[in-house]
Amino acid sequence: LIPLFVIIGSGGIGAGLYLMRLAVFNPDVCWDKKNNPEPWNKMAPSDQYKFYSVNVDYSKLKKDRPDF
């Protein structure tokens, strides 16, 4: 039973760490509504916010939207 507990425990810890990463680094989540109410507007096109991107090199992306 020890390997079962180790595997289930590591899976739970991994899922918790991934949720923590999403809560802290995802631009869709806003913790501070007074100083930065819309954090997704301050993201540069070269900022990588996805965990894994297959064929996208974020350092070569250009800005294709207007400033507001």
Side-chain angles (χ1 to χ4, degrees):
L1 285 176
I2 292 174
L4 178 67
F5 289 138
V6 169
I7 291 170
I8 298 295
S10 63
I13 289 171
L17 289 174
Y18 182 69
L19 287 175
M20 188 182 312
R21 180 193 176 276
L22 286 178
V24 173
F25 295 116
N26 197 349
D28 295 332
V29 177
C30 181
W31 291 96
D32 186 14
K33 292 188 186 260
K34 288 184 180 178
N35 296 327
N36 193 8
E38 296 176 343
W40 49 88
N41 285 337
K42 298 192 189 251
M43 295 286 295
S46 61
D47 291 342
Q48 180 178 356
Y49 62 91
K50 290 187 174 183
F51 185 69
Y52 177 73
S53 62
V54 179
N55 292 326
V56 179
D57 187 13
Y58 284 95
S59 63
K60 295 181 181 177
L61 289 178
K62 302 277 190 246
K63 185 176 181 181
D64 62 346
R65 55 188 180 258
D67 288 331
F68 290 111

